[in-house]
Amino acid sequence: MDSYDDKGGNPAPEPGPPAGPSRGIAGLSFPYQVVAAVALAVVALLAVGHVAMVFLHVAPDNTVSKKYGEEVGDWVFPEFEQNWKLFAPNPLQQNIAVEVRAEVDRTDGSRGTTDWINLTEEDARAIRGNLLPSHVDQNELRRGWDFYVDSHDEKARPNGLRGQLSERYIRRIAMLRLEAHDLGGPVERIQLRSVTRAVAAPPWSEEKINTKPGYRVFPWWTVTSDDLAEGVRNEGAGNGARDDARTEARR
């Protein structure tokens, strides 16, 4: 103690264990550090770009999303559909019905055109009062029509391969539904249209909403064998193929 007090200092610390090797990127050699840094930068840029693309896709229309809408769609929709919304809930403000009419080659040799058949109303009748409605009734036509409209421009021209695929799909749905109707002969051509009506304001609201229907009519399509789903014979006799298809879908 006397010698310690005489020196007036602190005792020297005991030497610790030798430092271990550096971990992480710092433990790599310089060339590998460069490669790791570049890889991390690329991953970070991809992550930021992906988040930006998804945000532009789900965000309300703006200048950037309108200008680069096609590029954003190609990124978000590489193969599968994605339809969740960022700003939920998003209640429906319009009722959209899909209708079809057919040009029929009648048994007496004449050719006639049917009235418009409301396919959406047929689905609605199957859903109302049903505690366990089929997904076919709820989604097949509705999702197929959304797919078709979203992949075509204002002049009903398909936007690439997705547009062509959606067109074939909606044709098959229409022919499947027509098979349940007695049309008096095979269908030669079909035409579809959408009927859009704004949802009326509730009784307690003073808001005035025009509920007059708006129509969007699409061109006539000539029916081919590719438009006939399994079980559809296109004889115009109403043989109930649609009900058979629904039974299969429920299974």
Side-chain angles (χ1 to χ4, degrees), residues 77-248:
F77 294 127
E79 292 293 340
F80 304 104
E81 183 178 358
Q82 180 263 28
N83 67 345
W84 55 270
K85 301 295 182 182
L86 176 64
F87 300 98
N90 184 24
L92 293 176
Q93 299 180 357
Q94 295 176 326
N95 288 321
I96 301 176
V98 180
E99 298 181 347
V100 62
R101 65 177 177 177
E103 189 175 275
V104 179
D105 191 3
R106 304 192 188 280
T107 54
D108 60 3
S110 64
R111 179 170 293 189
T113 302
T114 66
D115 294 331
W116 288 102
I117 300 172
N118 192 330
L119 303 181
T120 302
E121 178 58 28
E122 291 181 354
D123 285 344
R125 287 198 300 266
I127 293 172
R128 292 191 187 103
N130 191 341
L131 295 178
L132 298 173
S134 167
H135 281 287
V136 175
D137 296 327
Q138 296 181 80
N139 298 319
E140 182 184 57
L141 176 63
R142 180 179 62 85
R143 297 291 296 276
W145 187 253
D146 288 344
F147 180 29
Y148 174 76
V149 173
D150 291 343
S151 57
H152 283 69
D153 60 20
E154 293 298 326
K155 296 183 179 180
R157 294 175 300 194
N159 297 326
L161 182 60
R162 284 179 59 84
Q164 298 172 16
L165 178 62
S166 69
E167 190 171 298
R168 293 195 297 269
Y169 183 55
I170 203 68
R171 287 192 195 190
R172 280 174 161 254
I173 293 176
M175 290 302 299
L176 180 63
R177 303 299 179 87
L178 289 176
E179 189 74 358
H181 293 264
D182 188 356
L183 304 178
V187 176
E188 296 294 328
R189 298 196 302 166
I190 59 173
Q191 186 179 33
L192 287 99
R193 73 176 182 182
S194 61
V195 185
T196 304
R197 293 179 175 88
V199 175
W204 46 262
S205 174
E206 297 181 355
E207 185 179 4
K208 303 298 182 182
I209 298 179
N210 183 8
T211 58
K212 183 179 179 180
Y215 298 91
R216 183 180 179 186
V217 182
F218 291 83
W220 283 94
W221 287 329
T222 300
V223 175
T224 67
S225 58
D226 293 334
D227 301 324
L228 305 181
E230 184 177 357
V232 177
R233 296 190 291 270
N234 190 22
E235 296 175 351
N239 55 28
R242 181 190 180 198
D243 296 332
D244 295 341
R246 284 182 167 178
T247 301
E248 288 295 326

Side-chain angles (χ1 to χ4, degrees), residues 30-90:
F30 180 74
Y32 286 103
Q33 288 182 0
V34 173
V35 173
V38 171
L40 288 175
V42 171
V43 171
L45 288 174
L46 286 174
V48 172
H50 177 72
V51 171
M53 287 290 193
V54 173
F55 176 79
L56 289 174
H57 175 69
V58 300
D61 288 341
N62 54 74
T63 304
V64 178
S65 63
K66 290 180 179 179
K67 183 177 181 180
Y68 299 101
E70 184 175 352
E71 290 79 2
V72 171
D74 290 341
W75 179 272
V76 176
F77 294 127
E79 292 293 340
F80 304 104
E81 183 178 358
Q82 180 263 28
N83 67 345
W84 55 270
K85 301 295 182 182
L86 176 64
F87 300 98
N90 184 24

